[in-house]
Every structure is written in structure tokens, then in C-alpha cells.
């Protein structure tokens, strides 16, 4: 292979390749600068003089042909004839006093996203401390840039739809709140806490988030989120997330199932308990053998058949209501259907549905759910397990913003 082709292969435009050797599955490249002179870093005078080579730097470069590549860079001593300063030749491909080229360092963050520092260190054959230092330095800059890009995109959106949901740092003790752009598919910010006073305290310091003008906000039935959204974005439609609303109906169905189980024979009780998941599935998603099992289960008690039909009618209401006006009428009929079922679990569910009737029906004004938000929450859970959490809150937030907005990351060349 010609020398200029080798130079193009390793992307070294400023260097001239003198020799290439392979020793013990490692490639060593002897190079020299193409230019004969370099401007003085102090006075910028270009008429400098070479004073020989003090030593040779061994610098790690990009891998090639399955082997690690090292550049043998001569440390050329220079002196300026104008200011009489002495300095060492500065290479563009590597920073001063560094053992890795800029191109090699730029590959480490891409390997670290979605993995651990230990795994990246093993794959890159680089010390973990070096990988951690490079990746953390990159995350500080890139997370800020990605967050500003996503928030700027949300500000420019005329039909912005926000999604709000909490995720656990320590389940049952500490929580954070995620703010999402559902239309753009981006994660806008991590808000510490989930109580209304914590939300207000954080938003008071974030002028960009206060300037957002969403047409709708999707969230669960947490009263704090609805109170906060009503005060912060009064013009936005508040939509109760379909997944969380449907879960109330499913939990009522399972509560009825448990009460029915207590009155059955041991064999029937075991049969009903064993196939409880079939009751929670949509009828149109059941397989043929599951339909046969469902038919057998519903014959154990009339009230179980009534609650199951009530649950299916709710799914049909979500799917088939074509307009907001028809949805409100259909929702009233569904509530009336539920009142005929005399069971405490169903009555408790109906009470919740009546209290949140407006927010539930608003789904039919703008059909958005927090499905993407739940996906990001699962990604955050996996991140926390993979990293065994992290003690640095800022580093934790930067990692979340980058991994949840992976398509917006720009890796160095």
C-alpha cells in the first residue's frame, strides 16, 4: 500500500509516515511533521528554528485490522529567533502531554453510552480511570448542548404536547420527575422531586421551561401534577394518561376476581388464579386457546362476567369514540353500566372516574399517551441497575439526558 493511502486510512493529514511495523499484534507508526517550521506560541513569529528531537512520544491511535495502533511522535525542540522562547512541536492530532489522540478519545463516549465504564475500558483496552475522565468531561459539554437543542426545539413547536411522570431513585423514598416533549420525542429535563412545592421551586429557576407554550399535557392522576400544570400552563389541555386510567379498571376487575375465588371449590379457585392474566388482556388480542379458557373462567360467577364486559366496554370507548362530544356521552353510558355492578372495588373505581371525568375525556381532543414516557422510565431503571446508581446528582442527570436523547448526540470525529 502506498504511503499516502496509509495516511488517508489513519486520517493523519499533518504527518508524514516514515515506517510502519507490527510487533505482538500491535502496530507502530513512525511519523514526522510535513511542515518544517511552526509558529511561536508566544509571539506567533513564524521564523523558528529546530533544535533536534528530545524524545519520542508513544501515542495511542484508532484501532486498525483488529490491532491497537500507536504513533511514535518525535518531540521536536523549537526556538524562536524573535522572542528567544523555547517550546516543543505541537501536533493537531493530539493534545500536549496526552497519551491518546483526539480521534481515539472521541470513540470512547460512543462506546460508553448504553454501557459501563468497566465494559468500555475492557473493549477499548484502556485504563478505566482514563475512560471515566474522558467520558465525564465529554458528558458535561454534550449533555448541556443536547438539552439546549431539545428545549429550543420544544420552544419553536406550535403544537407542543408535554408528558410529565415521575420515576424512582429509591422506590418508596426518593423520586424525580421527567419532563418530555411527546411530539418531538425528546427528554427535556430532570426535575428533582415530585411534590408540588419542589416542582414550583425548580421551575422558578428555569426560564426556558416557563416559556414553553404547550397545547396539552399528559400525566397520570396525581393531583400534584394537575394542580401544578393548571397553574404553570393554564391554556393547556390536561389529559389523563390512558395506561394509568385503564389500570384502575383492570385492578377493579382483579379485585372482583379475588372475591369470587374465595367462594369457589379448590380446583376452580386454582384455575381462576392460574389464568388471572387472561382476564386482564384485551379480548381482541386473545389466542384461540385463551378464548376457550376465558369462556370457562367467566362461567364461575355472573358478577365476574359483568365486570369483564364492563372492562371491555371501556377499552371500546377509548378506541371507538370519534369525537370529544361523543366520548363524553359514551363515558356517561359506561359509568351507568358500572353502577349496575354492586361491588366495592367497582364503586371505588367509578368514584375516581367521575372525579377525573374531564381529564379522561380530554384524550379524545388530542390522542396522546405517555407510552413513550414509560419507555424512557424503563430506560432510566436499566441505567440505574447498570451503573449501580451514582452519587453525583449532576453526572446522574447528564447520563439520563444523553441516553434518553441518544439520537441528538453528536460524537467527535
Amino acid at each position: 500500500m502506498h504511503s499516502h493511502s496509509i495516511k488517508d486510512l489513519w486520517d493523519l493529514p499533518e504527518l508524514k509516515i516514515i515506517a510502519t511495523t507490527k510487533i505482538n499484534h500491535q502496530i507502530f507508526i513512525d511519523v514526522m511533521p510535513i511542515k518544517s517550521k511552526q509558529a511561536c506560541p508566544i509571539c506567533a513569529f513564524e521564523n523558528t528554528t529546530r533544535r533536534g528531537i528530545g524524545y519520542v512520544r508513544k501515542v495511542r491511535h484508532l484501532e486498525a485490522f483488529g490491532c491497537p495502533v500507536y504513533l511514535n511522535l518525535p518531540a521536536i525542540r523549537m526556538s524562536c529567533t524573535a522572542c528567544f522562547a523555547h517550546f516543543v512541536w505541537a501536533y493537531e492530532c493530539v493534545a500536549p502531554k496526552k497519551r491518546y489522540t483526539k480521534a481515539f478519545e472521541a470513540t470512547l463516549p460512543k462506546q460508553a453510552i448504553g454501557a459501563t465504564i468497566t465494559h468500555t475500558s475492557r473493549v477499548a483496552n484502556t485504563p478505566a480511570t482514563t475512560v471515566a475522565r474522558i467520558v465525564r468531561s465529554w458528558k458535561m459539554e454534550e449533555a448541556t448542548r443536547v438539552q439546549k437543542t431539545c428545549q429550543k426545539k420544544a420552544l419553536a413547536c406550535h403544537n407542543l404536547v408535554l408528558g410529565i411522570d415521575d420515576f424512582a431513585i429509591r422506590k418508596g423514598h426518593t423520586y424525580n420527575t421527567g419532563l418530555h416533549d411527546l411530539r418531538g420525542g425528546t427528554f427535556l429535563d430532570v426535575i428533582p422531586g415530585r411534590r408540588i412545592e419542589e416542582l414550583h421551586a425548580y421551575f422558578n429557576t428555569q426560564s426556558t421551561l416557563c416559556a414553553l407554550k404547550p397545547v396539552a399535557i399528559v400525566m397520570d392522576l396525581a393531583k400534584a401534577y394537575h394542580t401544578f400544570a393548571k397553574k404553570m400552563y393554564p391554556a393547556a389541555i390536561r389529559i389523563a394518561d390512558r395506561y394509568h386510567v385503564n389500570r384502575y379498571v383492570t385492578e377493579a376487575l382483579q379485585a372482583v376476581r379475588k372475591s369470587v375465588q374465595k367462594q369457589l371449590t379448590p380446583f376452580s379457585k386454582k384455575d381462576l388464579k392460574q389464568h388471572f392474566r387472561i382476564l386482564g388482556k384485551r379480548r381482541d388480542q386473545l389466542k384461540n386457546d385463551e378464548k376457550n379458557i376465558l369462556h370457562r373462567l367467566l362461567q364461575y360467577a355472573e358478577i365476574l362476567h359483568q365486570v369483564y364486559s364492563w372492562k371491555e366496554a371501556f377499552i371500546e370507548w377509548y378506541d371507538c369514540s370519534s369525537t370529544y362530544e361523543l366520548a363524553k356521552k359514551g363515558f356517561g353510558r359506561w359509568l351507568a353500566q358500572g353502577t349496575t355492578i354492586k361491588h366495592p372495588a367497582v364503586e371505588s373505581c367509578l368514584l375516581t372516574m367521575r372525579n377525573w371525568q374531564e381529564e379522561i375525556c380530554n384524550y379524545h381532543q388530542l390522542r396522546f399517551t405517555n407510552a413513550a414516557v414509560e419507555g424512557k422510565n424503563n430506560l432510566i431503571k436499566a441505567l440505574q441497575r447498570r451503573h449501580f446508581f451514582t452519587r453525583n446528582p449532576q453526572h446522574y442527570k447528564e447520563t439520563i439526558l444523553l441516553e434518553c436523547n441518544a439520537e441528538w448526540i453528536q460524537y467527535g470525529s
Side-chain angles (χ1 to χ4, degrees):
M1 184 181 292
H2 297 289
S3 60
H4 67 272
S5 300
I6 297 176
K7 186 174 68 174
D8 293 339
L9 176 65
W10 275 295
D11 192 20
L12 302 170
E14 63 170 320
L15 301 176
K16 177 174 62 176
I17 297 176
I18 306 300
T20 302
T21 56
K22 183 177 181 182
I23 303 174
N24 297 331
H25 300 287
Q26 294 180 343
I27 299 175
F28 297 89
I29 306 175
D30 298 329
V31 297
M32 285 291 292
I34 294 178
K35 297 180 180 179
S36 59
K37 295 183 179 181
Q38 190 173 68
C40 176
I42 298 177
C43 66
F45 187 65
E46 296 185 357
N47 190 14
T48 55
T49 306
R50 290 195 182 193
R51 296 296 182 182
I53 298 175
Y55 56 93
V56 177
R57 297 171 60 187
K58 181 183 174 182
V59 179
R60 177 78 180 274
H61 193 45
L62 298 175
E63 186 178 281
F65 308 112
C67 301
V69 177
Y70 295 90
L71 303 180
N72 293 326
L73 297 177
I76 304 174
R77 293 175 177 174
M78 306 290 295
S79 63
C80 178
T81 58
C83 65
F84 304 104
H86 296 272
F87 61 97
V88 179
W89 189 282
Y91 295 93
E92 295 181 4
C93 62
V94 59
K97 300 181 181 181
K98 296 294 183 180
R99 299 172 58 188
Y100 305 92
T101 63
K102 296 176 181 178
F104 179 80
E105 291 185 353
T107 62
L108 296 179
K110 190 172 185 179
Q111 299 178 41
I113 291 295
T116 62
I117 295 297
T118 304
H119 175 77
T120 306
S121 171
R122 189 181 301 115
V123 171
N125 193 21
T126 307
T129 54
T130 301
V131 176
R133 173 179 55 81
I134 294 172
V135 171
R136 288 183 180 179
S137 176
W138 171 81
K139 280 184 178 181
M140 290 177 61
E141 298 180 2
E142 187 63 16
T144 302
R145 189 199 64 80
V146 168
Q147 186 179 20
K148 288 183 179 179
T149 301
C150 295
Q151 291 184 358
K152 184 177 179 181
K153 185 173 180 289
L155 282 170
C157 182
H158 298 293
N159 297 313
L160 177 65
V161 180
L162 295 179
I164 299 178
D165 197 14
D166 59 355
F167 57 91
I169 298 178
R170 184 184 175 198
K171 198 170 183 65
H173 295 271
T174 312
Y175 290 83
N176 280 340
T177 298
L179 184 65
H180 304 255
D181 176 4
L182 297 182
R183 195 177 291 276
T186 57
F187 194 111
L188 297 179
D189 207 348
V190 179
I191 305 171
R194 63 175 180 176
R195 294 181 299 176
I196 189 168
E197 56 268 19
E198 294 173 325
L199 298 177
H200 280 298
Y202 185 81
F203 266 70
N204 289 336
T205 64
Q206 304 293 323
S207 58
T208 303
L209 300 183
C210 295
L212 295 175
K213 297 181 180 180
V215 297
I217 305 175
V218 184
M219 53 200 135
D220 58 19
L221 300 185
K223 187 176 181 179
Y225 285 146
H226 285 266
T227 304
F228 167 76
K230 187 176 182 180
K231 182 178 180 180
M232 186 60 61
Y233 305 113
I237 301 171
R238 289 177 286 112
I239 302 175
D241 179 44
R242 176 174 177 174
Y243 167 79
H244 290 87
V245 173
N246 195 67
R247 190 171 63 180
Y248 283 92
V249 180
T250 305
E251 289 176 352
L253 170 63
Q254 296 298 341
V256 173
R257 187 262 306 171
K258 292 177 181 178
S259 64
V260 170
Q261 280 180 190
K262 299 177 181 179
Q263 306 171 5
L264 300 177
T265 62
F267 176 81
S268 300
K269 178 180 179 181
K270 181 179 179 181
D271 184 33
L272 188 58
K273 184 177 181 179
Q274 182 180 0
H275 301 102
F276 75 95
R277 288 187 176 87
I278 293 179
L279 293 173
K281 291 181 66 175
R282 294 171 55 120
R283 186 190 294 271
D284 55 3
Q285 293 181 353
L286 294 174
K287 301 178 183 177
N288 291 330
D289 56 339
E290 292 177 333
K291 291 180 180 178
N292 296 331
I293 295 174
L294 175 65
H295 180 72
R296 183 176 72 246
L297 298 180
L298 296 182
Q299 291 179 343
Y300 287 133
E302 178 62 25
I303 190 173
L304 190 62
H305 190 280
Q306 293 177 353
V307 176
Y308 184 82
S309 300
W310 177 66
K311 185 263 294 185
E312 287 296 311
F314 190 60
I315 296 175
E316 184 180 359
W317 172 80
Y318 258 120
D319 291 341
C320 301
S321 299
S322 57
T323 63
Y324 174 70
E325 290 74 17
L326 291 177
K328 294 195 70 173
K329 295 179 181 179
F331 191 76
R333 290 193 296 268
W334 178 79
L335 291 175
Q337 180 183 353
T339 55
T340 62
I341 305 173
K342 304 301 181 181
H343 193 279
V346 176
E347 293 173 355
S348 176
C349 177
L350 290 174
L351 178 62
T352 302
M353 295 298 179
R354 290 191 182 96
N355 292 338
W356 295 97
Q357 180 173 352
E358 184 66 26
E359 289 78 8
I360 295 172
C361 291
N362 280 342
Y363 169 80
H364 297 282
Q365 293 196 55
L366 203 61
R367 288 175 173 262
F368 273 87
T369 69
N370 270 350
V373 175
E374 295 297 333
K376 296 290 177 65
N377 288 348
N378 289 334
L379 186 65
I380 294 171
K381 292 177 184 178
L383 184 155
Q384 292 178 167
R385 296 189 190 102
R386 187 170 67 245
H387 290 276
F388 303 101
F389 200 66
T390 178
R391 297 181 181 180
N392 188 327
Q394 185 62 29
H395 178 55
Y396 171 67
K397 178 178 179 178
E398 291 166 356
T399 305
I400 290 176
L401 289 172
L402 288 175
E403 296 211 9
C404 292
N405 297 309
E407 64 273 15
W408 295 94
I409 297 176
Q410 294 180 359
Y411 298 99
S413 57

